[in-house]
Amino acid sequence: MSFLEIRDLCLDVGGFELSGIGLKAEKGDYLALIGPSGSGKSLILETIIGFYGLEKGRIILEGKDITDLPPDMRHISIVYQDHMLFPHMNVFENIAYALRKKVKDKKQIETEVKQVAEVLGISELLHRKPTTLSGGEKQRAALARSLVARPKLLLLDEPFSALDTRTREKLREMLKKAIADYSTTVLHVTHDFEDVWALANRVVVIRKGEVMQAGDPESVFKRPSPDFVAEFLGTNVLKGKVKALEGKLAVVEAEGLEIYSTDPAEPGEEVTVSIRPEEVILARETVESSARNILKGKVSGIFKKEHLVVVEVKMGSAEIKAVITPTSCEMLGLEPGREIYAVFKASNARIIR
Amino acid sequence: MQFLRSPGMNNSWFRNLTVGIAFFFTFLLFSSIGVLLFVLKPSEIISSLLSEEMFYSMKLSMLTSSASTFSVMCCSIPTAYALSRYSFPGKRMVKAVLGLPMAFPELVMGLALLLLFGHGFLGPYLEMAGIKVIFSKLGIVVAQFFVAFPYAVRVIYSTFEDINPRYEQVSRSFGYGEFETFRHVTLPMARSGLFASSVITFARCIGAFGAVLVLAGGSYMHTEVLPVTLYLNISYGNLEMAITSGILLMGIAFLAILSFERFEGGKL
């Protein structure tokens, strides 16, 4: 039996419905729930933590049915996008609050708070009130508070979406380390692919209150189900090996192609490269440009996706998808079999491990 | 909300009209308060203040209003919390009934209470238990309670509504029960709203007149609270006493409004 099992979860809250959601996670899994906004992702989390009663379905954690348990008996913690730090307590008290129910010894509480503060780099902020913290600091404090309780399951409801890109990257690193330290099983709701790449080992795609697809991130993004693509465009995933470093760029040999990436990598490393289709430019001839990656291939397929056109370009064994407007498609005179160059910047070829 | 200030807006006739009306009536109100303050000589005010009757009525007002404010807070906090957080059958009706006293006259409220606690319904039972509500000091508290309760519920309700239930959810997730969460999270977060509503409740209790008069009788030096002093002394033609109690009531109201304005915004 799985560590966490959600069976046939049905719920109707004022016009929004979850119908027959099923999820599974093993101990130590990092499960990302991804889907467009309004797809019911947050609702799933709030159901798991016990905010809403279920109409139908079961939630089973560690082989125990917790469906009818009140939230305080479930040992599940949650971090919301808007952190929910108690404004009348300082950071230390906020974190200690999470422990007070389990640990009575004051000394031990202090040690544990300091320890988690160390991991998340907020040791200097313990005496501050939440209102005086920056967005990233608040979110780190909220993570610390949730982790210190050593929950069986940690729920993250878009914890990074209110932060700027750099803070987000920093926080992902910290979170990764922290959940490894505390060996927590995580359910992370997001609409950001980067969260999935950086953190998750499994991904579940949710749309309109239903599970569309589940699996490891690579397979889901490489072969997104047709319904999913209507909302998201998926991404190009290429497997390969770092051949060499050329200045600051890593040269990756992937499926017969040579791809330059700005992401840090070590020579000889096995890596996966992700290129978002909307970042690929199609050109009829080689153009002199700042983009380092210019790959020659043949158009193997063209299909419409809403108001855009997805073009599949075959290059040896590899295939790269590009998204362009119908006008560009016409101007380039694209048709299957035509030779074409796919151009993208080294900074858009992201290395995933 | 901040409106963009366009150049043409500053001198529009509509703006001038609304600002003019605002000033005119605030001025009227202000001058009527001023008149109250300046009719009497300070020596007259002081001698009225030091009279035995005024002393009695001030003391009784303070005591009864404190008692009723305390009981109003004890009852309105749970009521407001239930209305804000839980759904239960009859919730709409509870809300509607609580809204009623705001619309209907205090005097009618007093009459209704008189009938309820009188000989027809609860009176005989209470009397057996040794409790006398009608024409007693307890009656003052009861009348004040029912006058102020709906207002307190309304203010506290909006305070609870402003607190995101997710705070409570987070606290629950750390193993705290509903009551513990309420005590450690909700109450401290509602602090300033609760303070504001107790101030406004106190002001309403001390100023309650119609219901108090009908239920407690308003007899000289027995159930005489400040508004009753004002009323009694006007009917005797003793203006100095009437005006002095008026000034006292006004002073209390003014302080209450000031602190309400200060704390209602949430900073304590």
Side-chain angles (χ1 to χ4, degrees):
Chain A
M1 178 165 291
S2 300
F3 178 73
L4 168 76
E5 198 172 334
I6 292 158
R7 279 190 219 141
D8 196 25
L9 192 112
C10 290
L11 179 69
D12 190 347
V13 274
F16 197 86
E17 249 182 291
L18 295 180
S19 44
I21 297 278
L23 290 176
K24 269 184 189 179
E26 297 305 328
K27 196 168 171 57
D29 264 357
Y30 196 117
L31 194 69
L33 295 177
I34 189 165
S37 35
S39 57
K41 307 174 304 238
S42 304
L43 197 57
I44 296 175
L45 292 194
E46 293 195 315
T47 312
I48 295 174
I49 202 165
F51 203 67
Y52 298 105
L54 291 182
E55 272 164 34
K56 214 178 110 192
R58 299 271 97 187
I59 302 166
I60 291 151
L61 186 63
E62 268 188 333
K64 213 174 104 190
D65 190 331
I66 61 163
T67 320
D68 300 317
L69 281 184
D72 42 315
M73 312 287 281
R74 296 191 178 197
H75 303 286
I76 299 175
S77 291
I78 190 161
V79 175
Y80 288 107
Q81 180 187 334
D82 31 9
H83 60 82
M84 294 292 145
L85 291 169
F86 305 128
H88 56 291
M89 303 179 189
N90 65 25
V91 174
F92 179 89
E93 286 159 354
N94 259 289
I95 301 173
Y97 185 79
L99 274 176
R100 293 236 157 83
K101 247 350 221 191
K102 290 167 86 180
V103 186
K104 297 291 169 204
D105 182 37
K106 278 206 167 135
K107 276 256 164 60
Q108 199 193 337
I109 291 179
E110 212 182 309
T111 335
E112 294 220 18
V113 172
K114 288 199 168 140
Q115 193 186 328
V116 78
E118 189 74 32
V119 175
L120 286 158
I122 49 170
S123 302
E124 310 300 307
L125 309 172
L126 286 176
H127 62 281
R128 300 249 299 261
K129 280 277 169 90
T131 39
T132 67
L133 304 179
S134 73
E137 290 167 342
K138 281 180 194 164
Q139 214 48 278
R140 275 185 276 161
L143 281 170
R145 183 177 63 174
S146 288
L147 278 170
V148 83
R150 298 183 188 273
K152 287 180 185 167
L153 187 65
L154 175 64
L155 308 179
L156 305 175
D157 189 359
E158 309 220 10
F160 306 138
S161 57
L163 308 174
D164 61 86
T165 323
R166 286 192 55 181
T167 317
R168 229 182 273 180
E169 272 170 25
K170 202 171 114 198
L171 244 80
R172 279 192 200 109
E173 282 309 310
M174 285 184 162
L175 173 65
K176 210 168 177 174
K177 190 172 168 315
I179 50 172
D181 281 7
Y182 283 77
S183 56
T184 318
T185 310
V186 184
L187 229 65
H188 181 155
V189 153
T190 182
H191 60 249
D192 189 343
F193 285 105
E194 300 287 333
D195 284 341
V196 182
W197 287 129
L199 299 161
N201 68 331
R202 277 172 45 75
V203 57
V204 174
V205 183
I206 310 277
R207 194 166 146 254
K208 288 183 184 152
E210 278 178 71
V211 173
M212 300 307 304
Q213 213 180 347
D216 60 291
E218 213 181 284
S219 63
V220 168
F221 288 130
K222 191 156 190 179
R223 270 174 288 280
S225 78
D227 291 312
F228 173 41
V229 182
E231 306 285 341
F232 286 118
L233 294 162
T235 182
N236 294 300
V237 181
L238 300 169
K239 277 196 152 177
K241 204 173 185 182
V242 181
K243 209 168 78 175
L245 293 183
E246 217 173 87
K248 287 212 156 182
L249 298 182
V251 189
V252 182
E253 199 177 293
E255 300 179 29
L257 302 173
E258 217 166 71
I259 293 167
Y260 293 87
S261 169
T262 49
D263 284 355
E266 297 297 321
E269 208 181 346
E270 298 271 349
V271 291
T272 307
V273 180
S274 152
I275 308 135
R276 311 256 318 239
E278 57 269 41
E279 281 157 358
V280 177
I281 294 166
L282 295 180
R284 264 205 286 215
E285 294 153 41
T286 44
V287 279
E288 300 236 349
S289 74
S290 60
R292 284 303 304 270
N293 293 295
I294 302 168
L295 307 171
K296 193 177 170 187
K298 268 187 183 152
V299 176
S300 59
I302 301 173
F303 51 93
K304 266 186 94 110
K305 215 26 107 179
E306 319 239 304
H307 57 284
L308 293 171
V309 179
V310 179
V311 181
E312 291 173 346
V313 183
K314 192 101 182 146
M315 302 156 176
S317 65
E319 192 179 73
I320 283 188
K321 282 198 217 76
V323 175
I324 56 175
T325 60
T327 327
S328 330
C329 185
E330 222 163 273
M331 276 169 59
L332 288 168
L334 291 181
E335 55 192 21
R338 199 190 161 94
E339 276 200 350
I340 199 88
Y341 290 91
V343 182
F344 51 92
K345 294 169 88 164
S347 60
N348 287 335
R350 309 302 304 268
I351 291 182
I352 318 152
R353 287 176 185 91
Chain B
M1 200 152 96
Q2 195 157 18
F3 288 98
L4 288 177
R5 211 176 290 173
S6 68
M9 218 167 145
N10 276 335
N11 285 316
S12 81
W13 66 266
F14 186 70
R15 172 187 178 275
N16 292 343
L17 181 71
T18 50
V19 172
I21 291 175
F23 264 108
F24 182 69
F25 286 98
T26 316
F27 178 72
L28 270 189
L29 193 68
F30 190 72
S31 48
S32 67
I33 295 170
V35 166
L36 191 66
L37 278 175
F38 295 114
V39 169
L40 295 182
K41 290 198 213 71
S43 61
E44 286 171 318
I45 298 181
I46 288 170
S47 71
S48 308
L49 273 177
L50 293 175
S51 73
E52 200 192 344
E53 184 188 356
M54 189 59 74
F55 212 72
Y56 182 90
S57 129
M58 249 159 65
K59 201 172 127 195
L60 187 63
S61 266
M62 283 301 185
L63 281 176
T64 51
S65 303
S66 307
S68 41
T69 302
F70 179 74
S71 20
V72 164
M73 292 308 284
C74 287
C75 300
S76 55
I77 291 173
T79 308
Y81 190 77
L83 289 176
S84 156
R85 289 297 191 267
Y86 302 117
S87 57
F88 49 89
K91 181 174 171 177
R92 285 172 70 105
M93 200 194 67
V94 170
K95 266 188 161 171
V97 172
L98 279 177
L100 266 182
M102 298 221 220
F104 79 53
E106 228 186 275
L107 216 52
V108 182
M109 172 83 138
L111 182 62
L113 290 172
L114 185 66
L115 294 174
L116 179 70
F117 288 103
H119 294 295
F121 297 90
L122 293 175
Y125 303 106
L126 287 173
E127 217 149 292
M128 271 195 284
I131 299 167
K132 196 167 177 294
V133 174
I134 293 174
F135 305 131
S136 72
K137 296 190 175 65
L138 180 61
I140 302 176
V141 175
V142 171
Q144 288 174 341
F145 178 93
F146 282 99
V147 168
F149 181 66
Y151 290 89
V153 170
R154 188 150 289 205
V155 177
I156 300 172
Y157 173 78
S158 68
T159 305
F160 285 148
E161 284 289 286
D162 284 344
I163 298 173
N164 194 332
R166 285 178 169 180
Y167 284 109
E168 297 169 4
Q169 199 55 35
V170 166
S171 163
R172 295 293 304 280
S173 76
F174 295 135
Y176 294 83
E178 275 181 301
F179 177 66
E180 286 171 309
T181 294
F182 179 70
R183 200 162 60 94
H184 293 305
V185 175
T186 323
L187 271 189
M189 284 182 74
R191 202 170 43 182
S192 50
L194 295 180
F195 187 77
S197 75
S198 59
V199 166
I200 213 78
T201 302
F202 188 79
R204 280 216 61 85
C205 286
I206 216 162
F209 173 63
V212 172
L213 187 71
V214 176
L215 188 67
S219 55
Y220 175 73
M221 298 283 273
H222 172 55
T223 54
E224 184 178 345
V225 284
L226 281 173
V228 174
T229 307
L230 196 154
Y231 170 75
L232 289 178
N233 282 291
I234 282 182
S235 38
Y236 305 153
N238 188 353
L239 268 184
E240 280 130 56
M241 284 293 281
I243 293 172
T244 307
S245 48
I247 292 172
L248 275 177
L249 282 170
M250 206 182 62
I252 293 164
F254 197 67
L255 284 178
I257 288 301
L258 270 186
S259 38
F260 181 76
E261 289 284 328
R262 184 160 151 63
F263 295 124
E264 207 243 349
K267 276 161 202 73
L268 189 68

